[in-house]
Amino acid sequence: MTPLKITHCAAVLAVFPLFAPIAARAAATASASAPGLNITVSAVDPSTFHLVAYPKAAAPPSVSPFVAQTAPWSKAVVRKSASGVVTVQTPQGVLEVSPGGRVRLRDHAGHALLSSGTVASSNYSVTLTLTHGKDERFYGVGNESRDHSGPLTHPSGTSAVDNGATRVPFLWSTGGWSLLAANNLTGSTWKDNAGTLTWTTPAPYLDLYLSVAPDAYGLLGAESRLTGRAPIPPRWTFGFMVSRWGYGDATDVQDKWTQFRNRKIPVDAFIYDYDWFDNDWDFNTNRFPAGSLAKMKKMGLHFVGIRKPRVNGANLDFAHKQGWILNSSLGVDLRFDLPEARSWWWSHHIPLVQAGVDGWWNDEAEQSADEFFQMAKTQWDGWRAMSPRRAWTISRAFAPGMQRYGAATWTGDIRSEWETLQNQPGTMLNWSMAGMPYSGQDIGGFIGKPSPELYARWVEEGVFVPVMRVHGNLGSDRWPWAFGEDSGGAAVKAIELRYRLIPYLYTLGAQTEATGVPMMRPLFLEFPKDEKTFDLRDEWLMGDRLLAAPILNEGGARDVYLPAGQWYDFNTGASVAGGETRHIQAALDVIPAYVRAGTILPLGPVLQYTGEKPIDPLEVRVYPGADAAFTLYEDNGDNYDYQKGACSRIPMHWDDRARTLTISPRMGSYPGMLMTRHLNVVLPSGVRKSVTYVGSAVRIGF
């Protein structure tokens, strides 16, 4: 992927391709028809078209909550011929809808992406049939089931929301087009057969968005632009988080804070299950007496508490009387889609945020397609109205657009088994391709107790995923010292590496907001013609340069495939030729990882928590073999002032022929910015040079 160049920090939210103007203008929306259906057609931006089909006797459906871009794009050229053919033209493509519900989609050069198609109504459903290139593969959607990722390709399936299984109605093709069926429901089905995709939505209407782009990055960007970009999470969420169900009392709770600090094991947050509260929204004073959260803050720790979508006792009686309830298999849930219910529920959380709560862990809201979505929106809106600090939630499933509310997700109540570990990367890669850029897992597994080796390897795998969080069932420890000297030591070493990677990962977070591309990526995004990468799930890229291949099997052995080109072993600096599969054996405390030639990789010092001290000195690793570019992104990590320009960028460029690293003048600033940086520039051979950077250009030759 070509490195993103943004010259001003405020452009984090404003990155958008410049398109050639279209001279002719017409109405932004036009109407067509099919048997029993009205069809409206428009574009929402240069890449995405909007088609709504609904019964002729009915009013148009309400706007989907999942999309952020809802107004027709006024610069699209929309025409309707005398014969009733509607065309919508943008600089990226043309959507054509003919009488009878026939659909065609072309790219900007006139090439047919969808050579033919139909929209038809039958038996309280709408079916979309699309003819496309026969060699195309489909990605997106989500995973197969809890504990199982399923393949990365999705030629058939059903949309669903469940514990550990999310399949959203977003499907994209290697042929350069994608679809999002934005109906607020589950149960949509699709099946591809020899170049014909059949999609059925179990509703009397279809709310369809079709996007065009030249590659996968463009399609992922179009979907995130449509449903809303993910803001950069708080910096502390890039660190290590500890969760467990079950603590005895305040002494037990605070003992874990103290042990992590005394043992010098980095940690940024403790996440607490439902034993942290009483009466729905009061602190359990036996475990969290007055002053507990203030003590956490002094230790550099953050508090995240679980939230379930239901209330109890007198609160439930009140919600019943108001008609705010949703029956569920787990009890009676609150209707978070109702503004009055949302306002009432959040009003009781204001004192909790004022007391120092830093985030929310949302659980068991799978009763409808949008329950987690509405819950996250409630927390986002409420938080943003009262606090300048960044909002953060983590939920057990997701819906399209949840990412715009500062939401992450985790892979559900998974088992403490090797097979489950082996399926976690694939699930998170599937979710990345489905529009959820921030995902994690119960490291160590939730159901059961991991062996010391399984625990260590799982923590190592967690270094290279967006959210690094351990979790265990009632009374099942997940702190490193519970697993012995060898495995515990390997886990601590892995956690320390995670903190060293934060300057790189945080920059990827800024890129995600700017472009919509997730930080955790399958290899086929960078190597789209390499068939061995098409369904590769046990290794992946963080960004476009760093390949993670952690040990996912008992015993420490695995095969690693490196695509063609020159690579470097992250741990040793040794040059490794790509284009082949290698069998490796890794010691318990080694995480196999590789870096592409032509990479600049920043690494910070080991910190006990992200806010412990400034990230200085900064190690800048340069991997020769090709020219390289990287722009280090920084801001204060805690508020949204970066969206107004309060951030900095330090561009770096490696000239491979001249063997020279140029660090360009710093762009931008923010309160508390480190003005003087000590940089240690290191080559894989071990040769290093140190420089002091004060914001002016510096050149370092080797």
Side-chain angles (χ1 to χ4, degrees):
M1 181 182 180
T2 302
L4 178 71
K5 295 182 179 180
I6 304 175
T7 56
H8 300 287
C9 294
V12 166
L13 291 184
V15 172
F16 199 86
L18 296 177
F19 297 99
I22 298 175
R25 300 292 174 209
T29 303
S31 299
S33 65
L37 292 172
N38 289 319
I39 300 176
T40 62
V41 190
S42 63
V44 295
D45 67 28
S47 298
T48 300
F49 302 93
H50 189 198
L51 184 154
V52 181
Y54 59 96
K56 287 187 174 180
S62 58
V63 175
S64 171
F66 304 141
V67 298
Q69 292 189 148
T70 58
W73 188 52
S74 62
K75 295 182 180 180
V77 175
V78 182
R79 296 186 177 92
K80 187 171 185 178
S81 71
S83 61
V85 177
V86 173
T87 58
V88 181
Q89 182 182 358
T90 74
Q92 290 294 297
V94 177
L95 175 64
E96 178 184 294
V97 180
S98 302
R102 295 187 297 276
V103 176
R104 292 201 304 169
L105 181 66
R106 302 191 300 274
D107 66 13
H108 67 93
H111 300 132
L113 302 175
L114 301 173
S115 58
S116 65
T118 58
V119 180
S121 175
S122 175
N123 298 325
Y124 201 76
S125 66
V126 178
T127 296
L128 177 71
T129 303
L130 302 173
T131 302
H132 58 84
K134 292 184 178 180
D135 295 330
E136 296 176 16
R137 303 183 310 282
F138 291 100
Y139 293 98
V141 181
N143 69 315
E144 182 178 290
S145 62
R146 181 169 43 151
D147 294 326
H148 298 284
S149 70
L152 297 181
T153 53
H154 298 279
S156 63
T158 303
S159 65
V161 176
D162 201 355
N163 177 3
T166 298
R167 294 185 297 278
V168 298
F170 168 59
L171 194 68
W172 61 268
S173 166
T174 54
W177 63 277
S178 68
L179 69 81
L180 171 68
N183 295 58
N184 186 3
L185 50 75
T186 58
S188 292
T189 62
W190 68 94
K191 184 176 179 59
D192 186 56
N193 183 17
T196 298
L197 176 71
T198 302
W199 182 287
T200 299
T201 295
Y205 73 95
L206 173 63
D207 190 359
L208 178 71
Y209 293 86
L210 292 168
S211 295
V212 297
D215 55 26
Y217 285 116
L219 292 172
L220 291 170
E223 193 273 344
S224 72
R225 199 162 54 240
L226 173 65
T227 61
R229 293 279 163 83
I232 306 172
R235 185 183 288 121
W236 60 265
T237 66
F238 289 81
F240 182 58
M241 297 186 245
V242 175
S243 179
R244 191 189 72 169
W245 176 16
Y247 288 87
D249 55 16
T251 300
D252 185 24
V253 169
Q254 296 185 23
D255 170 70
K256 304 309 176 291
W257 309 344
T258 302
Q259 289 217 50
F260 268 89
R261 290 293 178 248
N262 289 346
R263 292 172 181 269
K264 303 297 182 185
I265 303 173
V267 62
D268 259 87
F270 281 82
I271 303 178
Y272 292 101
D273 215 313
Y274 64 78
D275 42 9
W276 75 266
F277 67 90
D278 288 322
N279 302 320
D280 294 323
W281 31 61
D282 298 328
F283 282 104
N284 180 312
T285 55
N286 180 51
R287 299 182 179 92
F288 294 92
S292 294
L293 271 63
K295 184 175 181 179
M296 291 186 78
K297 298 297 181 287
K298 290 181 180 179
M299 298 176 72
L301 297 171
H302 294 82
F303 178 101
V304 178
I306 199 168
R307 295 284 73 190
K308 301 196 184 237
R310 60 193 68 93
V311 292
N312 301 280
N315 294 322
L316 176 58
D317 293 340
F318 179 78
H320 260 294
K321 291 178 181 177
Q322 302 301 317
W324 295 344
I325 62 167
L326 174 70
N327 291 322
S328 81
S329 60
L330 297 172
V332 178
D333 290 4
L334 195 66
R335 287 279 304 275
F336 286 94
D337 59 321
L338 300 176
E340 299 85 355
R342 290 200 300 265
S343 178
W344 171 76
W345 186 81
W346 178 256
S347 70
H348 295 282
H349 290 75
I350 292 174
L352 299 174
V353 177
Q354 292 171 334
V357 170
D358 297 290
W360 306 109
W361 168 27
N362 296 333
D363 196 16
E364 298 178 354
E366 294 109 354
Q367 278 48 257
S368 64
D370 69 338
E371 191 175 16
F372 271 125
F373 177 95
Q374 298 290 359
M375 198 172 178
K377 182 182 186 300
T378 300
Q379 292 160 325
W380 169 268
D381 289 344
W383 189 288
R384 292 301 307 272
M386 65 171 293
S387 174
R389 299 174 58 220
R390 294 186 198 173
W392 188 75
T393 60
I394 185 166
S395 300
R396 198 168 69 174
F398 66 95
M402 253 177 74
Q403 72 282 349
R404 71 179 183 263
Y405 298 127
T409 191
W410 94 95
T411 61
D413 300 343
I414 55 177
R415 298 181 181 278
S416 300
E417 299 173 354
W418 284 100
E419 183 182 2
T420 300
L421 168 58
Q422 292 156 15
N423 275 272
Q424 294 309 292
T427 290
M428 288 181 279
L429 289 168
N430 266 319
W431 288 1
S432 285
M433 296 299 93
M436 171 46 72
Y438 293 103
S439 60
Q441 67 214 296
D442 289 351
I443 292 176
F446 177 69
I447 301 171
K449 182 177 180 180
S451 68
E453 182 186 3
L454 176 57
Y455 173 81
R457 294 303 191 189
W458 214 323
V459 172
E460 291 174 349
E461 178 257 13
V463 171
F464 293 97
V465 306
V467 179
M468 188 183 187
R469 164 188 164 273
V470 295
H471 183 49
N473 207 335
L474 184 63
S476 185
D477 296 346
R478 290 295 181 269
W479 11 92
W481 60 88
F483 293 90
E485 183 176 351
D486 292 343
S487 292
V492 171
K493 182 179 176 182
I495 295 167
E496 291 176 342
L497 175 59
R498 172 69 175 209
Y499 278 77
R500 295 208 67 200
L501 285 166
I502 285 177
Y504 177 68
L505 299 177
Y506 197 75
T507 297
L508 294 181
Q511 291 181 2
T512 294
E513 182 168 12
T515 68
V517 178
M519 63 174 64
M520 185 176 182
R521 309 173 190 175
L523 268 69
F524 70 76
L525 286 185
E526 284 296 312
F527 304 95
K529 296 183 180 180
D530 187 338
E531 294 184 3
K532 292 183 179 180
T533 70
F534 291 173
D535 191 34
L536 192 56
R537 285 169 272 158
D538 63 354
E539 55 186 85
W540 61 94
L541 292 167
M542 293 300 281
D544 60 353
R545 316 301 299 176
L546 178 59
L547 187 153
I551 300 298
L552 306 176
N553 302 286
E554 192 171 11
R558 67 158 296 159
D559 290 336
V560 177
Y561 174 70
L562 298 178
Q566 182 184 2
W567 297 79
Y568 290 90
D569 187 311
F570 174 82
N571 296 291
T572 67
S575 179
V576 182
E580 60 184 28
T581 299
R582 296 172 175 269
H583 185 74
I584 64 169
Q585 183 78 35
L588 183 61
D589 65 346
V590 173
I591 314 172
Y594 301 86
V595 187
R596 295 170 75 176
T599 295
I600 298 171
L601 180 66
L603 298 175
V606 175
L607 303 176
Q608 292 305 296
Y609 55 97
T610 53
E612 181 187 18
K613 57 187 177 182
I615 300 177
D616 194 68
L618 187 71
E619 181 176 314
V620 179
R621 292 190 182 182
V622 177
Y623 294 88
D627 291 349
F630 183 81
T631 298
L632 179 70
Y633 173 87
E634 294 178 309
D635 58 36
N636 83 341
D638 190 54
N639 61 36
Y640 294 98
D641 288 350
Y642 75 91
Q643 296 177 343
K644 303 174 185 177
C647 61
S648 73
R649 295 179 181 275
I650 302 177
M652 307 178 191
H653 181 267
W654 169 256
D655 186 322
D656 201 54
R657 175 176 290 184
R659 294 183 66 79
T660 299
L661 177 69
T662 299
I663 304 176
S664 298
R666 179 169 46 218
M667 300 181 294
S669 65
Y670 59 93
M673 183 180 73
L674 190 62
M675 301 300 295
T676 300
R677 310 294 296 261
H678 299 92
L679 307 180
N680 297 318
V681 183
V682 184
L683 300 184
S685 63
V687 174
R688 67 176 55 216
K689 292 188 177 182
S690 298
V691 298
T692 300
Y693 178 77
V694 295
S696 302
V698 176
R699 297 184 70 191
I700 305 103
F702 287 88

